[in-house]
Amino acid sequence: TVSVANAQVKYTDINDTTVSTNGGFYDLDLNQDGTPDFRLIQVIDSGLTENINAVLISPFDSTYNRAVGESVNGFNYPSNLTPGTVINQYESFQGIGSSEVKGYMAFEVDGISYPNSNWVGPTTDGYLGLQVRIGDSLHFAWARIDVAQGNNSFTVKDFAVELSAGDSIIAGGNLLSIAQNVFDNSAIIAHNKTLKIVLNNDLTDVELVLLDLQGRVLREEDLNATSIFDVSDLAEGVYLVHLKHKGVVRTEKVVLR
């Protein structure tokens, strides 16, 4: 576990931790003071008459600790935020309910996912937006999490909390600044049904993932230098390109014509 204080943000990078057993859990201690703030819980093949796979979140402080999300028909669903989302007091912190004191990140019954579950797998690099009480003050935080296909496991990657009470925090803010530095002088260029990836001279072992806007993976490549790919088999339109290097991800939209 590595903790870094960046200005007033305490960022904690852990070894990716996967929970894949029924009733297994991970306790989030956002400011690393030895007192957990939230518990993430894995449910597998549970239920009396049906099979339920689910990932749940529950607060240790049921009065103040909350997750960004919505309440629908008496159930609470944490949002899956995109990197760069500003988390502050203006968010709707209804991702955890006051009656059941839990939030349904992913919820699947007999292979059918509830439509309001925002974390249905496969989810990669999703962000929880959190409000946590530290001492007598409220602080904002995020946690980066994956949920597997079938919702039968989740992986906690890292998390951060704003130590200045009431100040906003940016989801993945630390990683966004790292990504900007890592991929400095690199470029993603789409032209005439070709995709050119320009890497800076010091960058190797980069994974390229090309997806459509529905999140379907269309191509995966390992890069060690500037490369050009023929994408004439793809229809004209907008696509997503992920460049991944040692856990840092740069994402851009490209238009193929």
Side-chain angles (χ1 to χ4, degrees), residues 59-112:
F60 280 87
D61 183 332
S62 60
T63 302
Y64 295 102
N65 291 8
R66 288 287 180 262
V68 175
E70 61 179 350
S71 176
V72 180
N73 297 324
F75 295 92
N76 298 82
Y77 301 96
S79 297
N80 179 357
L81 303 179
T82 57
T85 299
V86 177
I87 303 165
N88 55 30
Q89 70 269 28
Y90 301 110
E91 293 286 347
S92 175
F93 286 93
Q94 297 189 55
I96 296 175
S98 56
S99 57
E100 292 196 21
V101 199
K102 69 169 68 76
Y104 294 84
M105 295 174 62
F107 197 79
E108 176 185 285
V109 178
D110 291 335
I112 300 176

